[in-house]
Amino acid sequence: MPYTIEEKRERKKIADKKYREKNKEKIKQSSQEYYNVNKEKKKKYQDDRKELKKTTDRIHYQKNKSKIKTRCNKYKKTPQGKKTDIISNWKRMGIITDDYDEWYEKYINCNQCNFCNKEFKNTKDRHLDHIHSINDCENIRAILCCVCNTQDVFLDLLI
């Protein structure tokens, strides 16, 4: 009795799965070889289409501007969105650390200035102080209030 189309598909799935399990290393090696051979082609293709992609992305943004802005604003109001926003601002300002998540937790849970012990009135009063001259390793000094941060109080302590 002949198999139905669904039965044929099911038998093929099972046979394919058995083949993949049996030849894992062979498939992995073949994938790696394909990747190595086509790496340059892929890069060239992406470089050639860079301007086209920019143009299509710009057109898509113009068509869907209000939807995109609404979605972004909604995300920025979530805890994860706020965290992402703060950390990206730190990176833009040149703050370097091995663990941004750890410093974010310290920053959010800190209630007073690490120098003058003044309690923070709001989130705008809290600043993550860092050494501007260091650009290749961790450069965070402390979590300060706005006044201590602008007076650069730590310079006196370092000298």
Side-chain angles (χ1 to χ4, degrees), residues 6 11 34-35 52 54 78 93 99 102 130 141 154 159:
E6 288 80 23
R11 288 174 60 88
Y34 179 83
Y35 172 77
L52 178 64
K54 276 184 186 177
T78 65
M93 288 186 293
D99 193 0
E102 181 185 329
H130 66 288
R141 290 193 279 205
F154 277 105
I159 295 174

Side-chain angles (χ1 to χ4, degrees), residues 4-156:
T4 64
I5 293 173
E6 288 80 23
E7 289 173 330
K8 285 181 182 178
R9 286 183 184 152
E10 192 60 35
R11 288 174 60 88
K12 178 143 176 47
K13 273 186 190 177
I14 293 169
D16 287 348
K17 188 174 182 179
K18 284 181 182 177
Y19 176 81
R20 284 193 305 275
E21 287 174 1
K22 189 176 177 182
N23 297 299
K24 239 180 203 174
E25 285 302 315
K26 183 180 175 184
I27 293 170
K28 187 177 180 179
Q29 183 181 2
S30 173
S31 297
Q32 190 63 42
E33 287 172 8
Y34 179 83
Y35 172 77
N36 290 337
V37 168
N38 292 300
K39 190 159 89 173
E40 290 301 317
K41 285 182 187 176
K42 185 177 179 182
K43 184 167 175 35
K44 185 181 181 312
Y45 178 79
Q46 287 173 341
D47 288 345
D48 291 346
R49 295 181 53 87
K50 199 177 265 186
E51 286 302 316
L52 178 64
K53 180 153 176 38
K54 276 184 186 177
T55 307
T56 55
D57 287 351
R58 195 175 301 121
I59 292 168
H60 172 75
Y61 179 76
Q62 291 301 324
K63 284 182 180 176
N64 301 294
K65 197 177 210 173
S66 61
K67 280 184 192 177
I68 293 169
K69 284 193 173 192
T70 305
R71 188 176 63 230
C72 287
N73 288 337
K74 197 182 288 185
Y75 175 72
K76 283 184 178 182
K77 291 177 184 172
T78 65
Q80 184 61 37
K82 289 176 184 176
K83 179 180 178 179
T84 303
D85 200 31
I86 288 172
I87 291 174
S88 66
N89 285 336
W90 288 348
K91 289 178 181 179
R92 197 175 316 114
M93 288 186 293
I95 292 175
I96 301 168
T97 181
D98 294 335
D99 193 0
Y100 286 98
D101 293 328
E102 181 185 329
W103 272 102
Y104 177 79
E105 288 304 318
K106 288 179 187 176
Y107 178 80
I108 290 299
N109 296 322
C110 187
N111 297 323
Q112 61 188 22
C113 176
N114 291 156
F115 187 73
C116 69
N117 295 326
K118 183 178 97 178
E119 196 162 312
F120 296 128
K121 296 174 187 165
N122 55 35
T123 56
K124 300 257 189 234
D125 197 33
R126 188 183 307 146
H127 297 274
L128 192 62
D129 187 40
H130 66 288
I131 304 167
H132 293 261
S133 60
I134 297 176
N135 334 345
D136 56 351
C137 62
E138 190 162 310
N139 60 0
I140 298 174
R141 290 193 279 205
I143 300 168
L144 303 176
C145 66
C146 187
V147 174
C148 292
N149 190 40
T150 53
Q151 289 178 352
D152 230 355
V153 291
F154 277 105
L155 282 180
D156 299 333

